[in-house]
Amino acid sequence: MDMRKVLVFLVAIVAWPAAVGAQRLPDTVVPEHYSLWFAPDLQHATFRGRETIDVQLKSASPTITLNAAEIEFGETTISAGGAAQTARVVLDPKSEMATLTVPRPIPAGAAAIQITFTGILNDKLRGFYLSRANGRAYAVTQMEATDARRAFPSFDEPALKATFDISLMIDRADTAISNGAQLTDMPGPEPDKHTVTFARTRKMSTYLVAMIVGDFVCRAGTSDGTPVRICSTPDKESQTAFALEAATQQLAFYNQYFGIKYPFGKLDIIAVPDFAAGAMENAGAITFRERILLADAQRASIGTRKNITSVLAHEIAHQWFGDLVTMKWWDDIWLNEGFATWMTSKPIVAWKPEWKFNLEDAGDTQGALGLDAMRTTRPIRMNVETPEEINEVFDGIAYEKTAGVMRMIEGFVGPEAFRRGIRSYLTRYSYSNATGDDFWNEMTRATGQPIDRIMKSFVEQEGAPVISVNAQCAGSSTEVTLTQERFIGAPDASSPAQQLWAVPVCFKNGAGRPICDVFDRPQKKTSAPACPVFANADSRGYYFTQYSPDGVRMLAAKASSLAPVERVSLLGDEWWMVRAGRHDIGVYLDLAGGLANDDTAAVIDAMGTRLPYTGQYIAAPAQRSAYQAWIRERFGPVLDGLGWPGPAHDNEERQSRRAELLALVGGAGNDERVQQKAYELATTYLGDRSSLPATLAGPILRLAARPGGAALYDRYLAQLEMLSGQPEEYYRFFNALPSFTDPALVQRTLTYAVSPSVRTQDTSALIGGLLGSAASRNAAWAFVKQEWPTLVRKLGTFQGIPGIVGSLGSFCSAEDAADIRSFFAQNPVPAASRALQQSLERIDNCAAVVARQSPALTTWLMAGSH
Ligand SMILES: [Zn+2]
C-alpha cells in the first residue's frame, strides 16, 4: 500500500493492550482454497455472496472460527467425510470473528465450509465499498490491512494463504476486474445481469483479494509477454498512456532484477474515483487514486510524472515483495513496505536517469530521520494486534526508515552482493511467508557480510544515531574522533538511555570509492582521506551527522566538491543541529544562503519547508520583516536570473528549480511583486492553459491567492466544477484553496471541505492545509472541534481523521498543546493515537526551539552582511 501521499507520518507509543493475541484466529484450521461468488447491488449499496472454503483441520473439533465484520450469515454448512452439517453461527463484532458450531465434531483432515451471506457496500472506503463518478456507482475493494472480512467470511490473516476462484454477477452495462484474468463472461443468470468468472489465483493472502466493478475502460500493452492494462472511468481514457509506458518498463526491469518472472499472469492497474490510500498492490490488480495514476502524457508537470512513476514502481515491486513473499504477521509490515520503497528508484534510474532519483531517496531518508528525532518514534518492528494498531504502523518508519536502512546496507556490501541476497530470499520464501529474522539471516548467508548485526540494531531499537565528527586537519592526514548517541531533535533534551547501533559510516574520498567501516562503539578514533571531512558519502547513511560550526563552514565553502545528494543531506543535518539547540540558527542560514545559486532543484527543495518554518515560528513579529527581506535579497535575484515563467522548452530541472524559488521568494519572502505577477499569470491561465508550463502552474495558482481575494477564489471554485475529468488540473486548483487566508474565505473552505462537493478522500487535505498556515490555523481548529461529529460521520475513524490529527502538530505553544490534549481526552481517537502523541511532541518541541533560537536569529539578523 502507499499511504505516504495521504497520511502525515505517524508516531508510536510504546504500550499495547495486555490481551495480546486476543484478535488472532486459533491455529487449528488452515484454509487452502476459496470459491467466491458475489452479486453487488450498486443501487442499494449492498451485496450478496456465497463461498466454499476448503480447509484442513489439524484436530477433530465441533467449531471453526474465522473472521467476519458487518456480514450477515445465511445458510452455513460444514462438510467432511461425506457428511454435511448445518452450523450455528455466533458473531463477535468486537473481535470481528464468527464461530461456526456443528452438532458432531468435524474429523481432522479436509473439510469444506459453505456460507451464503449478505453485506453492505459502505461509504468508508474499506472492505467492499461504493464509489461514485459521473452519475454512476462503482463497487471496489480495499482489503489491507484487516478488511477482507468485511467482504466475505475469511481466515483474514496474512500467513493464511490460499488460492481463490472468483466470479461476479453484475449489471449488464458494467465490467469487472479481479486478481485473475477473465475466463468467461456469460449473460444472466438473473435478468439484466451477466456473470464474469476469473482464473484461479496463485496462493496469496486475503488482504490482496481485489474486485473492481463498474464502467471502466482499459488501455492495453504487454511487458515481457505479460498483458498489462491501465484502466479508468471512460472520460479519463486519454490520460492512461503515461502510466502504461512506465508500468511496462518497470515490470520488465523487475523480471530481470529479481530473476523471478512476474508471478501473477496479467497485471491490471485501475484508477478508482474514491480511494483512501495512495495505491494498493492487490496481486495482478493494483488500485490507485486517480491523481496518482492519470495525467496528460504531454502536459503533465514534472512532479506529477515523478509521482505516478514512483508509486507505480512501489506497487509493482510489491508483486514480489509482499505478494509473492509476505510477512508472517503485521509486526513485520516493514518487510513489505520498506522494501517496496527501497526498490522504487531502481527502475526509474534505469528509465529516466535525468530525474536523478537518488535525490528523492535522500529526501525520503530526511523525512524518516525527522520522525526518529522524536521521543515518541517507534522501532521498525513492533508488536501490533488490533486493527487500529495495525493501521497505524503504515507510517514513515515502516516505509522510509526501512528503505533508508536498506540503502545504507546496500551501499556497504555493494549492489551485486545485495541483489544476490534478495534473489535468494525471494526464491526461498515464494508463495509463503517470512519474518524479519528470516530476511536478515538469508541476506547474511548469501552475502557473507554482517547484515544481521547491522539490521537488528536498526530494526529492533527506536530512534537514530547522531555521529559527531571531530576532525583535526593537519597536512595530508586527518585525524577523526567519532562518537555516537541517540539523537533527540529538541533543545535541552535530557539524554535517553544509552543506545548503540552497528552503523556503516562512509567517508567521502574525493572522486574515489568511499571509505566505509562499521562503527559499533560509543567512540572511536580513525583517519579520513581529506579535509574538510564529509562523513556520509553519497548520503546513503541512515544517521544524523554533527560537525563543528567551523566544519560546516568549511564544507559550505567547498560545496561544489559535494554531490548534489550530499548537499541535500548536509542541509538536513545542519537543520537538525539547530532544532536540537546544538548550533545557532545562523550556521544554518549561512549554509542555506550560500547554496541559493545551487543548480539542483532538490537542494532548494531541501530548504523549502525549513526557511518558511524559521519565518513563521522562530522569527518574532518584530524580526519577521527583516527575515523576509533576507529571503528576498538572497533568493530573489536567483529567481530573476532564471526568469519566469521562462521559455516553455526549458529543461525539467530548471523548471523545477524555478518552481521551488518562486514558492520561496513569494511565500517565505512574502514578495508582493512576485505575488502580483503570479496573480496576473493565474488569471491568464484560467482562460488559457498553455500560457504556463505545468510545473509552474501549481505554485503560481497558490501565490495568486493573496492579491486575488474573493473574486479569484470564486473563479477557482468554478474551475473545480468543470474539472472532474482531469485529476491533475483539478487538484492544482483544489490544493490552492487553503492559500486564501482571508477569514471569510477560510470559513468557506472549511464548509466546502465537509460538503458533498468534496470526496471524503480529500477532506483532510483541505483542513490540514488550513491548519498548516498561521493565518487560518485557529479558525480551522475551532471548526474541527465544533464539527467533530460531522467529521467522524463523514470520514470514519480510519481515513482522514489521522491526517487531521497529524496536522495539529503545526501549533507551537504549551496552551495549544493543552487544549488539544483535553479535546481528545473527551473525544478519543484510537486509530490515531500515535498521530496525536506525535503532534503533541511536535508542538512542545516547536515551543522549545523558538525559545532557544529566536534570540540567536535576532543576533544573526543584526550582524547583517549575509
Ligand atoms: Zn506499499
Side-chain angles (χ1 to χ4, degrees), residues 1-2 314 318 337 399:
M1 191 156 41
D2 192 297
H314 176 105
H318 267 314
E337 298 302 351
Y399 288 68

Side-chain angles (χ1 to χ4, degrees), residues 19-220:
V20 164
Q23 296 232 3
R24 305 233 198 156
L25 295 171
D27 64 358
T28 48
V29 182
V30 180
E32 290 183 333
H33 176 72
Y34 293 76
S35 285
L36 290 164
W37 175 90
F38 291 91
D41 179 346
L42 301 185
Q43 243 188 336
H44 300 100
T46 58
F47 61 89
R48 287 174 289 149
R50 55 173 191 263
E51 67 180 346
T52 302
I53 316 175
D54 299 326
V55 298
Q56 288 287 336
L57 271 70
K58 289 183 184 167
S59 55
S61 169
T63 68
I64 292 178
T65 300
L66 39 57
N67 294 109
E70 297 180 331
I71 296 276
E72 243 179 77
F73 284 68
E75 198 180 329
T76 302
T77 60
I78 300 175
S79 315
Q85 303 187 69
T86 299
R88 188 166 55 87
V89 180
V90 176
L91 298 174
D92 180 2
K94 208 164 163 323
S95 66
E96 302 181 344
M97 289 180 193
T99 299
L100 320 182
T101 306
V102 290
R104 296 179 307 281
I106 313 150
I113 308 166
Q114 286 175 306
I115 305 172
T116 61
F117 55 92
T118 57
I120 49 168
L121 296 172
N122 69 67
D123 62 354
K124 298 295 182 286
L125 316 189
R126 55 196 293 214
F128 208 179
Y129 69 90
L130 202 64
S131 173
R132 291 181 192 281
N134 309 325
R136 296 189 66 135
Y138 294 76
V140 292
T141 52
Q142 166 62 39
M143 306 306 198
E144 195 177 25
T146 58
D147 290 325
R149 63 192 66 168
R150 285 167 207 281
F152 57 101
S154 49
F155 296 86
D156 192 15
E157 294 184 0
L160 298 173
K161 288 190 172 187
T163 52
F164 294 81
D165 285 333
I166 297 175
S167 68
L168 287 150
M169 184 181 73
I170 57 176
D171 293 344
R172 187 153 51 182
D174 282 342
T175 56
I177 301 167
S178 185
N179 305 90
Q182 184 178 307
L183 282 183
T184 59
D185 183 355
M186 314 276 276
E190 293 177 14
D192 293 326
K193 304 280 184 188
H194 64 130
T195 298
V196 183
T197 302
F198 299 94
R200 178 165 299 190
T201 68
R202 306 299 299 260
K203 216 173 152 196
M204 65 181 201
S205 307
T206 45
Y207 79 86
L208 295 169
V209 170
M211 296 176 283
I212 299 101
V213 177
D215 184 20
F216 287 102
V217 293
C218 303
R219 182 187 297 261

Side-chain angles (χ1 to χ4, degrees), residues 52 87-88 137 214 276 291 295 306 320 593 619 792:
T52 302
R88 188 166 55 87
R291 77 174 159 83
K306 282 183 175 175
W320 287 262
V792 172

